[in-house]
């Protein structure tokens, strides 16, 4: 204890401040052993030049992770801006086997971001389907007229769902459904013109799309697999 605290205790007065031992406990944090999400050797962490500091700011390093094959396109976010992770474009069925990351980078940069309020029409039935549309954030309904003239919700779309990949092949089809925002939505769009520019610059992409177009002409089942004739 300090001299003033000891004097107050001897006089029977209540202690109004912490003693030095308690104050030191509050000021000194307990530091855990550094951990990593990835697999790394613990001996390496011991060899790194760690520096003991009494205080300061701690920086958290973020690692980009994504999963191919879950059916949804992932994004990175910087403030209000979102960007497609280029490798995630392989979630699109016709780009699944495409290996040129540089072309995917160029395609990701060509997406245009749009914002919609609840009730706004994102895609309107009957209009030309000349762009790839990916829902980055929000919820939207996929709607088509029912048998009795009412509007039927076919599907509820959420973060990472995409539409319009046929724009890679022709861009001459029409939308046969309407997409309407249920919540505020952030959407990124890849116009047909940007796709054509990428095809013109990349022989690899042009050849890949030609092979995909040829494979579509073969008989397939409902899952997109080659149809196998069977007799029993």
């Amino acid at each position: 204890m300090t001299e003033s605290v000891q004097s107050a205790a001897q006089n029977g007065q209540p202690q109004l401040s912490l003693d030095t031992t308690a104050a030191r406990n509050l000021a000194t944090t307990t530091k855990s052993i550094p951990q990593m999400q990835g697999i790394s050797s613990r001996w390496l962490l011991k060899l790194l030049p760690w520096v003991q500091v009494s205080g300061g700011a701690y920086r958290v390093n973020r690692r980009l992770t994504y999963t191919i094959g879950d059916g949804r396109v992932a994004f990175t976010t910087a403030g209000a801006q979102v960007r497609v992770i280029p490798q995630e474009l392989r979630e699109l069925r016709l780009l699944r086997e495409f290996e040129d990351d540089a072309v995917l980078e160029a395609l990701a940069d060509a997406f245009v971001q749009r914002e919609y309020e609840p009730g706004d029409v994102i895609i309107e039935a009957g209009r030309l389907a000349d762009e790839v549309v990916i829902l980055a954030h929000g919820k939207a309904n996929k709607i088509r007229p029912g048998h009795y003239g009412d509007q039927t919700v076919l599907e509820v779309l959420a973060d990472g769902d995409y539409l319009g990949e046929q724009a890679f092949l022709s861009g001459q089809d029409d939308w046969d459904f309407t997409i309407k925002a249920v919540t505020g939505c952030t959407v990124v769009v890849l116009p047909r013109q940007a796709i054509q520019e990428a095809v013109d610059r990349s022989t690899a992409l042009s050849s890949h799309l030609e092979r995909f177009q040829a494979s579509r002409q073969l008989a397939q089942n409902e899952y997109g697999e080659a149809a196998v004739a069977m007799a029993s």
Side-chain angles (χ1 to χ4, degrees):
M1 294 185 182
T2 62
E3 182 178 349
S4 60
V5 173
Q6 291 175 344
S7 177
Q10 291 173 357
N11 294 333
Q13 299 176 357
Q15 182 177 330
L16 301 179
S17 63
L18 295 173
D19 60 26
T20 55
T21 301
R24 187 177 295 109
N25 287 337
L26 291 177
T28 304
T29 60
T30 300
K31 300 173 181 62
S32 62
I33 299 173
Q35 301 290 331
M36 288 181 140
Q37 182 179 2
I39 297 174
S40 62
S41 302
R42 292 298 175 257
W43 62 265
L44 174 61
L45 298 179
K46 294 179 180 179
L47 293 177
L48 292 176
W50 299 100
V51 178
Q52 178 67 31
V53 295
S54 57
Y58 292 87
R59 183 181 69 184
V60 177
N61 293 327
R62 300 178 62 186
R63 298 175 62 187
L64 177 62
T65 59
Y66 55 89
T67 303
I68 302 297
D70 60 359
R72 295 181 181 275
V73 179
F75 298 81
T76 56
T77 304
Q81 298 298 313
V82 298
R83 181 178 185 268
V84 178
I85 297 174
Q87 293 78 6
E88 281 283 314
L89 290 175
R90 294 192 179 100
E91 292 291 353
L92 277 65
R93 187 164 55 96
L94 54 75
L95 293 179
R96 190 154 297 164
E97 304 299 328
F98 187 63
E99 298 296 337
D100 193 330
D101 285 347
V103 175
L104 295 180
E105 285 275 356
L107 289 173
D109 289 336
F111 276 88
V112 179
Q113 181 172 333
R114 299 174 183 171
E115 303 290 338
Y116 294 91
E117 298 295 327
D120 288 350
V121 174
I122 301 174
I123 292 174
E124 185 176 356
R127 297 188 63 179
L128 185 63
D130 59 349
E131 55 190 17
V132 178
V133 179
I134 306 177
L135 183 58
H137 178 71
K139 185 168 68 172
N141 285 338
K142 183 177 181 181
I143 303 170
R144 183 180 292 164
H147 291 297
Y148 304 102
D150 57 336
Q151 296 296 313
T152 302
V153 177
L154 303 176
E155 185 180 357
V156 177
L157 306 178
D159 301 8
D161 284 325
Y162 60 88
L163 304 154
E165 61 179 340
Q166 67 269 20
F168 274 92
L169 301 177
S170 66
Q172 301 302 315
D173 299 327
D174 293 334
W175 298 111
D176 59 354
F177 50 78
T178 295
I179 303 296
K180 183 177 290 187
V182 177
T183 66
C185 291
T186 299
V187 173
V188 293
V189 174
L190 181 63
R192 170 63 187 171
Q193 181 180 354
I195 296 173
Q196 188 59 52
E197 291 174 356
V199 171
D200 293 340
R201 289 194 303 266
S202 172
T203 304
L205 179 60
S206 176
S207 301
H208 177 82
L209 294 179
E210 289 176 0
R211 289 193 300 271
F212 183 86
Q213 182 82 3
S215 69
R216 294 182 65 192
Q217 299 173 0
L218 302 176
Q220 297 179 343
N221 61 20
E222 58 181 321
Y223 303 107
E225 301 168 336
V228 178
M230 298 182 64
S232 61

